[in-house]
Amino acid sequence: AGGLADGVTGVVSCLVNASDSLPRYCEQYESVWAAAAANSAAQPSPRMLNTRIASAPSAREVLRLHAEFGSTFNEVHLSTSWRRLSRLATAPERRLFQREPALLAPLRLQTTGSLLLLRRRWGARAVASTAHSLAKLSLHGESWEELWRGITLAIPPLLSSFTAQALANTAWAYSRTGRASPPLLHALASEATPRLSEFKP
């Protein structure tokens, strides 16, 4: 167990000390979540952990938190992580994430698994926010197909709970990433039409 914990510490250190101009994200990060369970660091409460993710000062810090505590992440933590990444990632980081999908593999795979296997735990806000964040980061293509499939399957049962902003953001996300899903777009339009007065001009 000590060796695994040491490995996590080494990857976290690499993420923290990466170059400010173009982060040198470690290749080992792809497997760090599997080792995270061996980390003996004290686990923050779910609410405190989400607060730490939401207030992370950089994309690198979001990934560091996932590397350290990812084994305890729930759907709220996952959604908050994507939202924070979409707000904080610098232009070089965004290009790096798009070019090297493996850099976000632990977070991507955990989110995919949660959406496909634990879909009922996801709320409308978390699903819409995750779709919007992925689109802002321009994360789509073959490596991201399963995650987008999970989002597409999660949306229909939640549509009645979507706010007008969530409906607009989700439609934008699918348009932005060029995802052709006529049934979903029709469902979004059907939900939005009776609520047009809720949309801001």
Side-chain angles (χ1 to χ4, degrees):
L4 287 174
D6 291 342
V8 172
T9 301
V11 175
V12 169
S13 176
C14 178
L15 290 169
V16 171
N17 296 313
S19 166
D20 288 334
S21 58
L22 182 61
R24 294 178 292 103
Y25 294 97
C26 297
E27 292 180 1
Q28 304 100 303
Y29 184 69
E30 186 171 4
S31 62
V32 74
W33 182 58
N39 191 357
S40 60
Q43 296 288 329
S45 68
R47 179 175 294 184
M48 178 59 69
L49 179 55
N50 201 57
T51 297
R52 289 178 63 177
I53 299 168
S55 60
S58 66
R60 194 179 307 115
E61 175 63 9
V62 174
L63 296 182
R64 190 198 70 78
L65 287 169
H66 185 257
E68 188 170 0
F69 302 114
S71 60
T72 68
F73 271 32
N74 60 29
E75 66 281 357
V76 176
H77 301 134
L78 294 169
S79 175
T80 301
S81 295
W82 289 113
R83 183 169 67 251
R84 199 63 180 157
L85 283 174
S86 74
R87 293 180 178 178
L88 295 173
T90 64
E93 286 173 330
R94 289 170 185 256
R95 289 193 293 270
L96 194 61
F97 293 155
Q98 294 159 14
R99 190 170 65 248
E100 302 291 345
L103 296 172
L104 294 176
L107 184 59
R108 183 185 81 237
L109 293 173
Q110 188 178 5
T111 307
T112 302
S114 181
L115 280 164
L116 291 176
L117 301 176
L118 304 171
R119 193 177 309 147
R120 292 183 179 180
R121 296 184 181 180
W122 283 73
R125 180 179 180 182
V127 172
S129 174
T130 300
H132 188 244
S133 299
L134 291 172
K136 285 179 66 178
L137 289 164
S138 295
L139 299 177
H140 52 93
E142 183 177 358
S143 296
W144 299 91
E145 191 61 33
E146 279 298 288
L147 177 49
W148 278 105
R149 185 171 77 87
I151 292 172
T152 300
L153 292 172
I155 290 173
L158 297 170
L159 275 178
S160 62
S161 300
F162 271 41
T163 63
Q165 188 63 58
L167 289 170
N169 286 349
T170 302
W172 176 86
Y174 276 76
S175 174
R176 173 73 175 78
T177 56
R179 301 191 61 76
S181 181
L184 177 60
L185 295 179
H186 176 74
L188 287 169
S190 296
E191 182 65 33
T193 300
R195 301 164 56 184
L196 291 178
S197 62
E198 300 177 29
F199 288 84
K200 296 180 180 180

